[in-house]
Amino acid sequence: DKNFKRKGLQVRPRSRTLTAAHESILEDVISPSEIIGKRTRISIDGSKVLKVFLDLKDKDKENVEAKFGTFSAVYKKLTN
């Protein structure tokens, strides 16, 4: 039954969904650079791989490229 008002339930705001929380965590983890695109790849066994395309700032380019593994590990630890 989709009549929420009769049951007294409320619809969860988009800013408090799990997806929105994960997106804000991702933005915080890669804070010096900007996200310009995202792709989710789902393999045959059902595992998901999130590919994030970043717009690197020129001055921090070499620092950020060295930290990709760290970004991945921190994001996985915080979201799983």
Side-chain angles (χ1 to χ4, degrees):
D1 190 21
K2 296 202 177 208
N3 193 351
F4 294 110
K5 294 194 187 261
R6 194 169 357 132
K7 289 186 176 181
L9 299 175
Q10 292 182 342
V11 179
R12 178 176 289 137
R14 295 281 181 220
S15 63
R16 294 199 193 108
T17 61
L18 185 63
T19 306
H22 284 186
E23 286 182 8
S24 66
I25 288 171
L26 181 63
E27 286 181 10
D28 290 342
V29 167
I30 57 164
S31 60
S33 53
E34 240 178 90
I35 298 173
I36 57 172
K38 283 189 264 188
R39 304 285 184 271
T40 303
R41 185 171 183 180
I42 303 171
S43 63
I44 296 172
D45 64 349
S47 61
K48 294 181 181 179
V49 175
L50 180 67
K51 290 187 176 186
V52 179
F53 301 101
L54 301 176
D55 182 22
L56 303 176
K57 308 289 185 225
D58 291 334
K59 60 183 181 193
D60 294 330
K61 197 168 192 171
E62 57 276 343
N63 289 338
V64 173
E65 287 177 354
K67 295 179 186 176
F68 284 156
T70 307
F71 291 159
S72 176
V74 168
Y75 181 73
K76 281 182 188 176
K77 197 69 162 177
L78 290 174
T79 56
N80 290 337

